[in-house]
């Protein structure tokens, strides 16, 4: 009987969580009003800059 690698279980759980989060995001974008999607896309660079700034301060 083949054994399951203990490291494989957490990796599979994380992969499933990322897949579910991506699916939720795609469904939310598809169901959203076009103006909302445009506003979110325009806000992404500011969000990325904030996260990069936060990451640099933690080091």
């Amino acid at each position: 009987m083949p054994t399951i690698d203990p490291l494989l279980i957490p990796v599979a759980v994380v992969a499933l969580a990322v897949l579910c989060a991506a699916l939720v995001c795609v469904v939310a974008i598809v169901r959203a009003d076009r103006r909302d999607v445009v506003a979110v896309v325009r806000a992404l660079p500011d969000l990325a800059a904030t996260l990069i700034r936060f990451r640099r301060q933690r080091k």
Side-chain angles (χ1 to χ4, degrees):
M1 178 176 205
T3 59
I4 298 175
D5 187 17
L7 184 61
L8 187 62
I9 294 171
V11 171
V13 169
V14 169
L16 183 62
V18 169
L19 182 66
C20 289
L23 182 64
V24 167
C25 289
V26 168
V27 169
I29 288 172
V30 168
R31 293 189 57 171
D33 186 49
R34 183 186 177 279
R35 291 169 294 186
D36 296 336
V37 174
V38 170
V40 169
V41 170
R42 287 185 179 160
L44 285 177
D46 294 333
L47 176 62
T50 302
L51 292 175
I52 290 171
R53 214 174 306 123
F54 176 73
R55 183 174 169 223
R56 287 183 184 161
Q57 289 176 355
R58 284 182 56 191
K59 287 185 178 179

